[in-house]
Amino acid sequence: GEIRFVKKLCLENFPFLVFLPKLDGNIEEVVIKEFPLLVDITNLAGFPKVTLVFCPMLQDIKPVRDCPDLTIKSCGRLENVSCLGSQKKLNLSYCHRINNEISNLNTVRSLTIRECEGIRDLSALSSVEDLNINLKNVILPAVSNSKKVTFFSTSFHFGSSSSTFHCESLVIERNYHYNDLHQLP
């Protein structure tokens, strides 16, 4: 049936669902958590805020490509995020197979990338306004005009030795690689 008058819908722990049912109504936020067999998220298209947590079989995220606020965590088969880039806010966490082709994410306003082992080169992300990084051995943009950059337990180096890395706010949290700090221009 139709769900009415619900702003936030959380669906958790549906171990046998392969696809999501049609969700109608005025839902502003959908949280999908612990769907180990989910492969089809077609019915999530059009929602303003979507969170996908532990959907290890999910590979095709095209239905949520226009979602303004998107979080994808622990989706182990997800490799390609080339359909994304129109988001205002994007969080990619613990998706270890995402490949390094992420230049399309340069237009995202607020981007968080945490523990995605396949991503090493962030050199194309020079225009992200708020960049939050928790990665090991990552290459940062040689030239950046980000307003805020946050490093959390990150080891990094810049794309070139003559970096002009500009940002209004630089936050370094739990950076265990203090030798990296001398690289900041």
Side-chain angles (χ1 to χ4, degrees), residues 57-92:
M57 300 301 284
L58 185 64
Q59 291 180 302
D60 182 10
I61 56 170
K62 288 182 195 121
V64 293
R65 68 179 164 254
D66 295 322
C67 177
D69 188 340
L70 179 61
T71 297
I72 302 174
K73 290 183 180 178
S74 300
C75 294
R77 286 209 170 171
L78 181 62
E79 294 179 14
N80 189 338
V81 294
S82 64
C83 65
L84 302 179
S86 67
Q87 287 68 37
K88 290 180 181 177
K89 186 175 181 182
L90 177 61
N91 181 335
L92 300 172

Side-chain angles (χ1 to χ4, degrees), residues 92-112:
L92 300 172
S93 299
Y94 306 100
C95 299
H96 302 294
R97 288 189 181 182
I98 293 177
N99 61 38
N100 214 23
E101 297 299 321
I102 58 167
S103 60
N104 53 299
L105 303 181
N106 195 35
T107 56
V108 173
R109 190 172 298 155
S110 176
L111 177 61
T112 298

Side-chain angles (χ1 to χ4, degrees), residues 1 10 12-13 16 31 46 52 63 70 76 84 86 92 97 99 110-111 117 131 137 151 159 173-174 179-180:
C10 297
E12 186 171 340
N13 199 11
F16 302 111
V31 177
L52 297 162
L70 179 61
L84 302 179
S86 67
L92 300 172
R97 288 189 181 182
N99 61 38
S110 176
L111 177 61
E117 295 169 1
L131 184 59
N137 301 315
F151 299 117
E173 298 179 15
R174 293 188 185 177
N179 292 336
D180 293 336

